[in-house]
Amino acid sequence: MAGVTATVPTAATRVFDLADAPVRALNQFLHHELRGSGVQRVEILNPNGAHNIAVGIDHPVTIDIQGHGGYYVAGMNKHADVTVHGNVGWGVAENMMSGTVRVKGFASESAGATGHGGTLIIEGDASLRCGISMKGIDIVVGGRVGNFSAFMGQAGRLVVCGDAGDGLGDSLYEAVLYVRGKIKSLGADAQEEPMTEADLAGVADLLKKAGFPYDPTEFKRVASARSLYHWNADANQEY
């Protein structure tokens, strides 16, 4: 009809202020009340480094954490898109299954540990053991990663736009690592390999998703030499 303008309903938003409500109440809502509530976005105020914020989500929802988080932020995430507008402690997105977790600041140890899927984006640096035992997750770090990152990485991709510390990719299986900066040292059974066209395309896609403006040709590929796949009785524990 002429003269009638359609209105578009805005997404329903639920606000939790952790200065007034405990993390338990937030997670209770996310686990048991979110589905069917019509809420499409959750905003979390005053996190103040609290642990276990927004863990175990199993429903599509957008979550904005307005400040710093403690240990295990967005652990076991499934389907949700979580953004932390600050830094995080140990184990952000630990055992993540799907969805996206973005950290606008820095991440402490074991970011993305044992992650099975989804994408973890860290805009700053990540500390030790980033991507330890990763099992299919994609991790993109805008800065540096610490020692023994991707230790025992079984599947997935780790893209590091800065430098990498000692022991990168120690005991790798099928995870593949891409590093733009300097690598202090490679771990046992990790080796640098030529970048293929598939690697360049994959890195370009992940950089675009993360919003980082780097050239994929600047990255080095690190993968497993596969000498640790089978027990060698003659190696005398020396590989």
Side-chain angles (χ1 to χ4, degrees):
M1 295 174 60
V4 176
T5 302
T7 58
V8 178
T10 58
T13 299
R14 176 75 181 267
V15 178
F16 281 87
D17 189 340
L18 297 186
D20 299 324
V23 173
R24 180 183 292 274
L26 164 67
N27 289 335
Q28 172 77 15
F29 172 79
L30 295 174
H31 296 167
H32 303 290
E33 301 168 35
L34 173 62
R35 189 184 302 272
S37 70
V39 171
Q40 299 177 33
R41 177 176 177 268
V42 175
E43 184 173 18
I44 301 169
L45 306 178
N46 297 307
N48 295 330
H51 305 320
N52 305 314
I53 296 174
V55 298
I57 305 171
D58 189 13
H59 188 72
V61 65
T62 297
I63 295 183
D64 284 287
I65 301 171
Q66 303 291 356
H68 305 309
Y71 303 162
Y72 303 114
V73 172
M76 301 178 288
N77 184 54
K78 195 173 182 181
H79 304 305
D81 292 322
V82 181
T83 300
V84 183
H85 299 267
N87 305 322
V88 293
W90 296 347
V92 62
E94 182 265 345
N95 206 36
M96 180 175 172
M97 297 294 175
S98 62
T100 302
V101 176
R102 179 184 290 268
V103 178
K104 304 290 285 185
F106 299 90
S108 189
E109 297 179 16
S110 303
T114 73
H116 287 252
T119 305
L120 169 62
I121 300 165
I122 300 166
E123 296 189 2
D125 297 335
S127 187
L128 309 177
R129 303 180 188 89
C130 178
I132 183 172
S133 194
M134 54 196 292
K135 295 177 172 66
I137 190 174
D138 286 327
I139 303 174
V140 186
V141 180
R144 299 168 294 177
V145 296
N147 298 346
F148 294 102
S149 288
F151 171 62
M152 292 187 68
Q154 296 170 39
R157 297 172 293 181
L158 170 62
V159 176
V160 182
C161 299
D163 299 334
D166 276 321
L168 178 69
D170 190 84
S171 304
L172 269 180
Y173 287 85
E174 293 298 326
V176 181
L177 322 177
Y178 304 98
V179 181
R180 179 172 173 266
K182 297 178 181 178
I183 300 172
K184 191 168 183 181
S185 70
L186 294 174
D189 210 34
Q191 65 179 11
E192 189 174 331
E193 300 177 347
M195 292 280 284
T196 66
E197 290 299 321
D199 291 315
L200 294 171
V203 171
D205 181 65
L206 289 172
L207 290 172
K208 181 179 180 180
K209 184 171 185 178
F212 298 144
Y214 301 116
D215 184 345
T217 62
E218 298 175 345
F219 288 77
K220 299 174 283 291
R221 171 189 166 102
V222 175
S224 174
R226 296 180 171 83
S227 62
L228 294 179
Y229 271 37
H230 305 286
W231 171 255
N232 183 353
D234 298 324
N236 194 31
Q237 297 295 307
E238 296 178 0
Y239 289 88

